[in-house]
Amino acid sequence: MPEPGSTAALDLAAGLLASASSVAVLTGAGISTDSGIPDFRGPNGVWTRDPAAEARSNFSTYVADPQVRRDAWRIRASSEMFSALPNEGHRSLATLGDRLHTLVTQNIDGLHLLAGTPADRLVEIHGTVHRWECVDCGARGPMSEALERVRAGEEDPPCEFCGGIIKSATILFGQSLVSADLARAERAAAEADVLLAVGTSLTVYPVAGMVDIAARAGRSVIIVNAEPTALDHRATVVLLGSAAGTLSEILPG
Ligand code: NAD
Ligand code: ZN
């Protein structure tokens, strides 16, 4: 493997992508930090600075504790996620066009869709903050409606259909992934010529397992991240650096 971040590594990655007829992509919070959304586990991550924040991402705590829900709604109502715009990294991935097999994102910010990645090739494996869902009756709706209720004074707005607890349509700790989404992610890793993992620490399974699936199937694996990841030893090439800058070099469009 060429030295991570070297010119030889950049050239190898650009060459692998240019000659691939299908590319699977896995993204994490690191692709959106340049859009002003902090990650959780990076050096300036929300959980790194405030370990208590991790508790708010737990399903049973959210359902059991009204104070946790009031805090969650107050934070959502002022979250940078709803005003953030895609950056060069999201836009570079959208240039893959028909060569994109599937883009699997662990992000819940909706920025890949905004950047133009087609919805039918996108798997938002941890859900989206742009919708709410009821934990009791399963009703869903646009998050903007729920946030309007919060801004109008409802601290923990109940489901308008059944009176139950509502949350953002994201997968919290203690909830399972949607099995069809996981199956699509694993199939993409096995089938595409190249797996490109960007801005993820590759510590959260089963999604990080895409790297092992691709490597075992003999596919090329390119990892782009600001710091070493847990699976760098499984990669064909590792590029240490910013997601936006690196992607614009290896995917010139
Ligand atoms: P993660 O474990 O995938 O780690 C993010 C990685 O990105 C870190 O290793 C960090 O060093 C790297 N990184 C940060 N900025 C970067 C940049 N500009 N260029 C390249 N790499 C960069 O993700 P996490 O932060 O632990 O978040 C865990 C989960 O929480 C996510 O999978 C997601 O579901 C959710 N989350 C979503 C968002 C979002 O939607 N934007 C943001 C934070 C957390
Ligand atoms: Zn309901």
Side-chain angles (χ1 to χ4, degrees):
M1 200 199 310
E3 185 66 25
S6 63
T7 313
L10 272 175
D11 289 348
L12 175 58
L16 289 169
L17 287 166
S19 58
S21 52
S22 76
V23 179
V25 181
L26 169 63
T27 66
I31 197 169
S32 293
T33 54
D34 282 334
S35 293
I37 304 172
D39 63 17
F40 286 171
R41 293 192 181 82
N44 294 313
V46 174
W47 294 345
T48 314
R49 287 181 287 129
D50 172 17
E54 195 165 349
R56 279 197 293 274
S57 306
N58 190 291
F59 181 71
S60 50
T61 315
Y62 186 92
V63 170
D65 188 342
Q67 187 56 47
V68 167
R69 294 199 295 280
R70 287 194 290 268
D71 288 348
W73 282 112
R74 193 172 29 77
I75 291 165
R76 272 181 210 128
S78 61
S79 168
E80 56 276 272
M81 283 219 192
F82 300 102
S83 51
L85 294 171
N87 64 55
E88 200 56 41
H90 303 98
R91 285 195 292 272
S92 297
L93 292 172
T95 67
L96 280 166
D98 279 347
R99 295 194 303 132
L100 178 66
H101 183 297
T102 307
L103 191 161
V104 179
T105 186
Q106 300 168 90
N107 296 344
I108 53 181
D109 54 32
L111 293 182
H112 287 296
L113 274 176
L114 266 186
T117 291
D120 61 350
R121 295 186 193 208
L122 182 66
V123 176
E124 292 177 307
I125 200 138
H126 291 163
T128 175
V129 293
H130 294 284
R131 297 183 71 71
W132 60 264
E133 70 186 4
C134 173
V135 305
D136 294 300
C137 75
R140 290 166 76 96
M143 180 55 91
S144 54
E145 287 176 12
L147 291 182
E148 265 167 42
R149 294 173 63 191
V150 175
R151 291 191 189 108
E154 289 183 72
E155 291 187 304
D156 177 20
C159 173
E160 56 201 86
F161 300 102
C162 78
I165 291 172
I166 67 171
K167 59 185 276 296
S168 71
T170 56
I171 311 268
L172 299 180
F173 287 116
Q175 292 188 282
S176 350
L177 299 181
V178 176
S179 56
D181 286 349
L182 181 60
R184 282 179 71 194
E186 293 181 342
R187 197 166 58 238
E191 287 179 358
D193 298 334
V194 174
L195 171 64
L196 172 60
V198 186
T200 167
S201 60
L202 296 172
T203 48
V204 180
Y205 282 83
V207 177
M210 286 176 72
V211 169
D212 284 312
I213 291 171
R216 270 203 308 273
R219 311 304 183 197
S220 302
V221 176
I222 302 170
I223 295 180
V224 177
N225 203 55
E227 58 184 341
T229 77
L231 297 178
D232 285 359
H233 60 285
R234 301 290 274 150
T236 316
V237 51
V238 174
L239 300 173
L240 267 181
S242 106
T246 308
L247 288 179
S248 60
E249 288 193 62
I250 61 176
L251 282 173

